[in-house]
Amino acid sequence: MDFGAVVQTNPPAARTVALAGLAEQHGFDYFWTYDSHILWQEPYVIYSQILDRTSQIKVGPMVTNPATRDWTVTASTFATLNAMYGNRTICGMGRGDSAVRVSGGSPVTMRQFRESIDVVRNLANSRSAEFNGKTIRFPWSHGSRLDVWVAAYGPLALKVAGEVGDGFILQCGDVDIAEWMISTVRTAAENVGRDPLSVKFCIAAPAYITDGTRAGREHAREQCRWFGGMVGNHVADIVAKYGGNGEVPRALTDYISGREGYDYNEHGRAGNTHVSFVPDEIVDRFCLIGTAEEHVSRLERYRALGVDQFAAYLDHDNKEEMLRVYGAHVIPSMREERTAIA
């Protein structure tokens, strides 16, 4: 299993760059950031600094969108970073959330979403793409490689993930929900003739290491409760479209009944003021909270489902310690053991 870290690009940018370096030192394979240019600093500028100061870790947005960024500009940015630093980028793509809604926009349609994935991936892989009725390519790009992973919750978006995504990002750590969504994505891939095992799977959720005490767990819950609010914001859109008794598991939809709105000024922030509706049970199910051993136990369940990567959100007060404990204990426990002499 691969491991990623996910952060907001809060100023100063040097802190984000330093966290990326620390993640690489502790054995993480990916360093993801939010992409919401009004709420936080521009991530692609920071990626260039990260790539310049590291040697192996891959960087990318979790997630960008086709609404606020021209598709060809996004592809050109990735292809340029790959040319400069050797194919160390990855792209998470969604229909548009905070970056779109803060500026009064709306998520793109499913058709636009599907088309944008093809355009960004083809151009960023040094191939031609159909865009605005023209066939275009980057004449300067040679040998660039970029995978596009689709972030989704609803049935139609999950279908897109299976049909065209290189990978699927589930921003929720609940094992039962993950099992349903992975099965749904694999079925969609199989229905269009793709090998369902060719689609990679990433679970992204806050990870908080505790000392095993009750007080430690309670503090961790408060640091991670924001995540239930963020997930609930996406789920509310799904319920509005499909109803509370649709295809989506009730474990994902029932808890939002007490939700009263969402303030993007506090998006992804520990201690925000609009997540009181999120119960402890949801925090424990959606996030990874506990000792290193408890984290490994949950990660083993993910691996049994076929999950290829766990990406840990670091939007809490325990960033460096979480990276350290994962590097010292969790990641080695999840790596395949090898013997020096057979």
Side-chain angles (χ1 to χ4, degrees):
M1 180 181 287
D2 288 337
F3 288 87
V6 191
V7 304
Q8 297 172 347
T9 53
N10 289 307
R15 175 86 192 283
T16 304
V17 176
L19 284 171
L22 194 60
E24 181 174 84
Q25 291 173 33
H26 288 305
F28 283 75
D29 308 282
Y30 295 88
F31 191 80
W32 303 86
T33 76
Y34 290 57
D35 176 9
S36 195
H37 60 289
I38 295 174
L39 295 175
W40 302 288
Q41 292 181 323
E42 172 58 35
Y44 294 96
V45 177
I46 298 174
Y47 295 159
S48 188
Q49 287 286 303
I50 292 171
L51 291 167
D52 188 58
R53 299 183 189 190
T54 56
S55 60
Q56 296 181 354
I57 204 163
K58 292 185 177 181
V59 302
M62 187 181 282
V63 294
T64 192
N65 72 86
T68 58
R69 297 186 185 274
D70 182 280
W71 309 348
T72 63
V73 174
T74 296
S76 181
T77 302
F78 281 113
T80 301
L81 290 172
N82 283 342
M84 294 174 67
Y85 300 107
N87 291 327
R88 290 169 53 206
T89 63
I90 188 165
C91 178
M93 184 86 79
R95 292 176 56 219
D97 183 39
S98 61
V100 175
R101 299 183 197 268
V102 166
S103 57
S106 301
V108 298
T109 66
M110 287 297 171
R111 178 178 178 179
Q112 291 170 321
F113 189 35
R114 185 186 299 269
E115 291 174 351
S116 70
I117 293 167
D118 286 338
V119 169
V120 170
R121 181 168 50 206
N122 282 331
L123 291 175
N125 280 277
S126 303
R127 299 191 295 261
S128 61
E130 299 300 314
F131 183 71
N132 287 342
K134 294 183 178 295
T135 301
I136 59 173
R137 67 177 303 158
F138 302 143
W140 46 267
S141 178
H142 307 281
S144 176
R145 293 195 303 276
L146 178 75
D147 286 344
V148 178
W149 291 37
V150 175
Y153 291 103
L156 292 179
L158 291 171
K159 187 170 182 285
V160 172
E163 292 178 352
V164 302
D166 295 306
F168 163 58
I169 297 170
L170 170 58
Q171 292 161 303
C172 179
D174 185 276
V175 176
D176 294 335
I177 292 170
E179 183 176 16
W180 177 81
M181 289 199 173
I182 288 172
S183 175
T184 301
V185 171
R186 284 179 172 159
T187 298
E190 192 170 20
N191 286 343
V192 295
R194 296 184 72 190
D195 177 1
L197 298 180
S198 69
V199 183
K200 300 294 184 182
F201 293 94
C202 172
I203 286 181
Y208 200 106
I209 295 291
T210 73
D211 58 4
T213 65
R214 178 177 178 179
R217 176 171 287 275
E218 290 176 350
H219 175 77
R221 282 175 177 153
E222 294 313 310
Q223 286 292 305
C224 297
R225 199 175 301 276
W226 64 267
F227 188 68
M230 187 184 82
V231 173
N233 190 51
H234 294 288
V235 173
D237 287 343
I238 296 171
V239 171
K241 179 167 184 155
Y242 298 100
N245 298 312
E247 299 178 51
V248 182
R250 295 185 67 90
L252 187 61
T253 60
D254 282 356
Y255 82 100
I256 69 165
S257 59
R259 178 181 177 272
E260 297 180 349
Y262 193 81
D263 183 358
Y264 276 99
N265 287 308
E266 297 183 317
H267 187 58
R269 298 191 184 279
N272 66 42
T273 60
H274 55 273
V275 294
S276 59
F277 72 94
V278 180
D280 288 350
E281 178 192 2
I282 289 295
V283 179
D284 290 343
R285 291 179 65 174
F286 284 16
C287 308
L288 272 70
I289 293 174
T291 63
E293 291 74 20
E294 289 175 306
H295 283 242
V296 170
S297 178
R298 177 80 71 87
L299 291 165
E300 291 282 10
R301 296 180 70 186
Y302 294 158
R303 182 158 63 183
L305 294 178
V307 172
D308 300 281
Q309 179 185 161
F310 172 66
Y313 280 94
L314 302 183
D315 303 314
H316 51 60
D317 63 0
N318 207 31
K319 296 176 176 61
E320 286 83 359
E321 178 67 0
M322 205 290 303
L323 292 173
R324 184 193 70 80
V325 174
Y326 261 62
H329 302 289
V330 177
I331 293 176
S333 296
M334 298 299 297
R335 297 294 194 200
E336 186 177 51
E337 294 186 3
R338 296 179 176 85
T339 57
I341 302 174

